[in-house]
Amino acid sequence: MQGVVAVILAAGKGTRMKSRLPKVLHQVAGKPMVRHVLEAVQSLGINQQILVIGHEAELVKAALGEQVRYAIQAEQLGTGHAVMQAQPLIGEEIKTVLVLCGDTPLLRAETLAILLAEHQQTGAAATVLTANLTDPSGYGRIIRDAQGLVERIVEEKDASAEEKRVQEINTGTYCFDKVALFKALGEISPANAQGEYYLTDVLSVLRGAGQKVGAVVAADPRETYGINSRVQLAEAEKILRYRKLVRLMEAGVTIIDPATTFIDDEVEIEPDTIIYPNTIIERGTRIGCECVIGPGTRIVESRIGNRVEIQNSVLLKSLVGDECTIGPFAYLRPGTELAGKNRVGDFVEIKNSKVGEGSKIPHLAYVGDATVGRNVNIGCGTITCNYDGVRKWPTRIGDGAFIGSNTNLVAPVEIGANAVTGAGSTITKDVPADSLAVERSRQTVIRDWVKKKRTDRSAQHD
Ligand code: UD1
Ligand code: CA
């Protein structure tokens, strides 16, 4: 969008959050709240964005990177003062300044588009986005004149009892004509309850100068929530998560219980996958079609293929090929790669290992730093002893191998293709292909040992 710059205010500390982290970096739906604002702006095609930062500026910069320009507000003297700091970064070609707060993560791009269109159509010097709230407490109130036009905004701390009853609030989102904005900012003063330069005072300055001030009322007031406290953060989280679930359901994903399903904004899921309750899917995970996920599953930064079933399991940074069955109670740690058609059963932990197609690890096993071929069966209780107390060593298992139950594979070690290890063996040397390796002492049977023991004992008691 030509001629428009977005200025996002994010310099405040967010005292009411009671946090060491600056407010705008608190996460909602898996992303810092200011990133939601930024993405709404970007999706409108507004390519020029200026973020006004101050409190913990370096942390905010580190979180958002080089995609935006930064204006520093060294001292937080109010929202009007914050906008002034952006002025030197705004070019000649800019006509319209869209001002947003970094703490309104629920605002949708569609609503911003309506605001911009109205501003451009009416040719107003300022157009403010307002909302009607049943509980307006904490927000600036919109004071309209007898004709119903916006006259000024009064902050709650400066409002009279009558003004406090007004339910139309300032969302903190505005479009301004650039020249009119900076001229008016030069005229505002901090003579108010908080001793701050209020951006909201620009509106009455403009009206006083005979300029046109317009307003757009947001259709859905929930979009405009400003997050000032942890309670409001949790409310925003709920709304954003539900929006994500609705998008997924509309795209063909079944969510059995939206109330207990948590899916981050950037997660992608293909149609006909079913998500069972108590499932958390985070940070850029991608899931294919016709999967059954959950109940009770957490998946972070992973890729899951098609027709995969996962129940009561935790998967971190893992790749899972098509038609795998995982869990219940499996733990796939970072670097796990299952090629496809694998069975990973209960109480199995896999870490930094590649498992070939069709291989099975059905129960009670630890597989770490291993390369497992195709169609391998890893028996119950098998452990790769990959750590000698100093460093980690690899285990290799060839195609078609059969690892007997309760085998210890002391790494580094290699089991050849189609080789077999006897149950209970501790394997410390490589096993050639097609061989059997057994490592355990011969079984001794002492006949009638129990009977004899019993007779001895009763003799003692006589
Ligand atoms: C502000 C508005 C209020 C509106 C509400 C909407 C003013 C004076 N008040 O109040 O009318 O209803 O937002 O949510 O504008 N910030 C800075 N520098 C500063 C002060 C604030 O960058 O010196 C940033 C904050 O980081 C925050 C945003 O501006 O992202 C809003 O500040 P906040 O203190 O939350 O304002 P409110 O009291 O909520
Ligand atoms: Ca606020």
Side-chain angles (χ1 to χ4, degrees):
M1 203 177 280
Q2 295 299 311
V4 182
V5 66
V7 175
I8 302 171
L9 309 185
K13 179 167 188 284
T15 314
R16 291 164 279 183
M17 295 297 282
K18 307 221 167 67
S19 175
R20 281 165 57 196
L21 198 66
K23 174 166 76 175
V24 294
L25 291 189
H26 279 263
Q27 300 223 345
V28 207
K31 275 192 287 211
M33 58 173 113
V34 65
R35 184 173 286 282
H36 289 275
V37 179
L38 205 57
E39 285 175 6
V41 166
Q42 283 165 347
S43 74
L44 285 180
I46 301 174
N47 303 321
Q48 289 209 45
Q49 301 126 13
I50 300 170
L51 207 71
V52 182
I53 55 176
H55 179 74
E56 296 285 9
E58 290 310 314
L59 282 182
V60 182
K61 266 190 185 174
L64 296 179
E66 299 302 317
Q67 53 171 328
V68 286
R69 286 182 297 157
Y70 298 96
I72 304 291
Q73 185 192 24
E75 247 190 301
Q76 284 81 64
L77 301 179
T79 48
H81 180 258
V83 173
M84 288 184 219
Q85 311 314 305
Q87 188 176 16
L89 297 182
I90 299 177
E92 277 293 310
E93 76 290 359
I94 296 296
K95 193 174 174 314
T96 306
V97 183
L98 172 64
V99 176
L100 307 108
C101 295
D103 65 352
T104 54
L106 300 171
L107 262 183
R108 290 179 319 130
E110 291 85 333
T111 307
L112 295 176
I114 294 170
L115 177 70
L116 268 164
E118 170 80 8
H119 180 74
Q120 277 157 357
Q121 242 166 43
T122 58
T127 311
V128 54
L129 181 68
T130 75
N132 287 303
L133 300 186
T134 38
D135 176 13
S137 54
Y139 291 93
R141 309 296 205 281
I142 303 290
I143 307 301
R144 291 183 183 256
D145 63 16
Q147 285 81 51
L149 299 172
V150 176
E151 195 176 79
R152 62 195 167 90
I153 296 172
V154 61
E155 288 307 294
E156 172 148 301
K157 289 191 173 125
D158 303 289
S160 67
E162 192 191 336
E163 286 167 339
K164 277 186 189 149
R165 280 197 289 276
V166 173
Q167 288 181 310
E168 188 181 10
I169 61 104
N170 169 26
T171 66
T173 312
Y174 327 72
C175 280
F176 292 104
D177 172 77
K178 180 187 71 179
V179 176
L181 169 66
F182 288 106
K183 186 162 180 292
L185 277 173
E187 293 171 36
I188 64 173
S189 88
N192 51 54
Q194 304 186 78
E196 288 184 357
Y197 292 92
Y198 291 165
L199 177 61
T200 45
D201 286 350
V202 162
L203 302 196
S204 49
V205 170
L206 291 173
R207 274 299 297 269
Q211 304 233 48
K212 195 166 166 186
V213 174
V216 168
V217 184
D220 180 358
R222 287 179 313 173
E223 242 184 75
T224 63
Y225 286 162
I227 311 304
N228 297 321
S229 69
R230 307 247 184 184
V231 173
Q232 290 169 328
L233 189 68
E235 282 162 10
E237 178 86 26
K238 205 169 152 191
I239 294 168
L240 270 182
R241 296 248 181 231
Y242 190 67
R243 258 191 218 166
K244 171 69 180 177
L245 297 179
V246 168
R247 280 204 300 278
L248 287 170
M249 290 187 275
E250 283 172 353
V253 176
T254 295
I255 312 275
I256 292 183
D257 181 16
T260 62
T261 305
F262 304 84
I263 301 181
D264 277 357
D265 219 26
E266 279 151 14
V267 168
E268 289 172 26
I269 305 179
E270 285 177 38
D272 288 322
T273 283
I274 302 176
I275 313 289
Y276 274 75
N278 292 322
T279 292
I280 304 174
I281 306 175
E282 297 174 70
R283 275 185 272 146
T285 291
R286 272 157 56 188
I287 298 179
C289 63
E290 295 165 40
C291 295
V292 180
I293 311 291
T297 291
R298 178 166 183 234
I299 305 177
V300 183
E301 266 181 75
S302 297
R303 287 276 174 82
I304 314 294
N306 302 321
R307 296 174 295 286
V308 172
E309 289 181 23
I310 305 176
Q311 56 167 315
N312 289 95
S313 294
V314 175
L315 284 77
L316 311 175
K317 296 188 182 175
S318 294
L319 299 180
V320 175
D322 294 349
E323 287 160 39
C324 289
T325 316
I326 297 171
F329 314 115
Y331 183 22
L332 271 49
R333 290 168 50 201
T336 297
E337 292 184 29
L338 307 181
K341 296 189 165 65
N342 300 105
R343 162 108 192 86
V344 174
D346 52 294
F347 307 106
V348 171
E349 174 176 339
I350 307 179
K351 182 215 79 170
N352 186 34
S353 296
K354 286 191 167 65
V355 180
E357 195 173 277
S359 292
K360 297 185 174 69
I361 315 174
H363 8 241
L364 292 169
Y366 172 62
V367 175
D369 305 307
T371 309
V372 178
R374 298 157 65 102
N375 300 318
V376 169
N377 190 86
I378 297 191
C380 177
T382 295
I383 287 172
T384 54
C385 310
N386 61 328
Y387 185 48
D388 60 9
V390 181
R391 55 168 288 192
K392 307 275 171 73
W393 298 96
T395 298
R396 288 177 196 284
I397 303 176
D399 293 347
F402 182 95
I403 308 299
S405 292
N406 213 28
T407 297
N408 297 313
L409 298 165
V410 181
V413 73
E414 182 161 352
I415 311 296
N418 301 313
V420 173
T421 67
S425 296
T426 294
I427 304 294
T428 53
K429 298 190 199 98
D430 290 353
V431 179
D434 301 307
S435 317
L436 166 69
V438 191
E439 188 281 337
R440 59 190 183 213
S441 52
R442 275 186 194 287
Q443 183 168 320
T444 312
V445 176
I446 305 172
R447 285 203 175 269
D448 295 331
W449 182 86
V450 178
K451 264 193 205 160
K452 187 165 176 289
K453 187 127 186 157
R454 240 183 253 139
T455 339
D456 286 356
R457 238 192 253 135
S458 48
Q460 264 176 21
H461 287 287
D462 280 344

